[in-house]
Amino acid sequence: EVNANENRKSNGNGMTLIEVTGVDDEKNDNDVKVSFYRAIDQYTLDGGGNFTPFASYRIDAAGGKLRYGSAVKGRIENGVLTTDEGDVNLPFYGNYTYMNQEIKDMRLRLELSEDGAKANGMASGYYGVDQLMFYIGGLGPISSTAISNCPSIYLAAHELADGHPDPQTGKCTALSSAYNFRAVAAFIIHPKAEQTASADQKSPLPCVENLELI
C-alpha cells in the first residue's frame, strides 16, 4: 500500500471526507449523522509531508448534485464515534486505479484525540468479490512487478467469500473486511447550490468542522 498511499498524497484523488452533523455534545451524543463525500482538492501537507489538520476541502459535485453522499446514523460516547450498519459508497484511488467502491453493512468506529485535531478509526463491512477483482485487474504494470496469479486470486476470493449470498446460487458474493485508518480534522465546503437549498429549508449550513478520512 506504500505506492497507493503516495499516489493519493501527491494528487488528492480518492480523498474521502467524513462529515459529522447534528452534534449537540462532542463527548456524548446519542443521535448524529455521518456522511461520506469525495473531495476535489489536493491534501494540505506540512513541511514533513504530514496531513495538516483544519484545512478546507470542497466536495465533488456536478450541476449542484453530489457525486457521493452516503449517510448512516451514529452516536458519540465518551468521545468515541460509532455508527449503525449501512451500505456506503466511497471513492478509491491507488496504484493508478480509480473506482467507486461499495462497502455493504459498513460500521465505523472513530476515536477522537483530546484536542479534536486527529482521530484513529476502524471501518468494517463486506467487500464485493467482483469489486476486488476489478481493482486487481486494473493494477496493470504494478501487478507485473510482484508474484501474482489472477486466476488463483479469483478462485481464492470466491472460496473465502462469507457474506451476501446470491439468492439464486446461494454462493457468497462478498468478503468480510476491516480497515484501520487515521483521520485529521477538516472544514468541508459544500457546493453553493446545496447551501442555498439548506438555507431555504431553514436548516443549519453543513460547513462545520468535520473529519477527513485519510
Side-chain angles (χ1 to χ4, degrees):
E1 283 299 312
V2 173
N3 184 73
N5 286 333
E6 288 304 317
N7 279 173
R8 288 187 280 268
K9 263 190 178 183
S10 63
N11 54 40
N13 290 339
M15 186 197 308
T16 301
L17 301 173
I18 303 176
E19 180 181 58
V20 186
T21 54
V23 179
D24 299 315
D25 186 327
E26 295 180 358
K27 291 294 184 180
N28 292 281
D29 193 321
N30 62 4
D31 187 13
V32 300
K33 181 181 178 181
V34 183
S35 304
F36 303 87
Y37 307 105
R38 176 181 180 269
I40 58 174
D41 297 298
Q42 291 186 334
Y43 285 110
T44 301
L45 306 175
D46 62 20
N50 300 309
F51 301 100
T52 304
F54 306 113
S56 297
Y57 297 96
R58 295 169 296 165
I59 293 176
D60 185 11
K65 295 183 179 180
L66 305 180
R67 296 187 188 277
Y68 292 85
S70 300
V72 292
K73 182 180 178 181
R75 64 203 55 81
I76 303 173
E77 184 174 355
N78 297 324
V80 178
L81 170 69
T82 58
T83 70
D84 293 342
E85 289 184 356
D87 296 346
V88 173
N89 284 303
L90 300 174
F92 177 84
Y93 180 86
N95 289 324
Y96 310 103
T97 299
Y98 178 78
M99 60 185 287
N100 169 62
Q101 59 179 356
E102 181 182 22
I103 302 179
K104 295 181 179 295
D105 305 330
M106 195 205 78
R107 280 189 172 184
L108 183 74
R109 185 182 188 277
L110 198 63
E111 187 170 350
L112 308 179
S113 63
E114 286 296 325
D115 60 4
K118 299 179 180 180
N120 291 315
M122 173 183 281
S124 61
Y126 287 94
Y127 198 87
V129 173
D130 289 342
Q131 191 169 241
L132 173 65
M133 295 311 301
F134 176 86
Y135 168 68
I136 292 174
L139 291 177
I142 300 298
S143 62
S144 65
T145 61
I147 299 174
S148 61
N149 185 295
C150 285
S152 296
I153 294 173
Y154 180 87
L155 179 62
H158 280 83
E159 289 178 345
L160 295 173
D162 57 351
H164 290 269
D166 184 287
Q168 295 181 343
T169 65
K171 294 182 178 180
C172 291
T173 62
L175 295 152
S176 55
S177 309
Y179 311 88
N180 291 316
F181 65 91
R182 293 176 296 109
V184 298
F187 292 96
I188 293 179
I189 303 174
H190 281 248
K192 290 183 178 180
E194 290 290 315
Q195 293 179 346
T196 301
S198 297
D200 291 342
Q201 297 166 8
K202 298 183 179 180
S203 60
L205 294 181
C207 295
V208 297
E209 181 180 317
N210 302 283
L211 292 169
E212 172 229 325
L213 176 65
I214 296 176

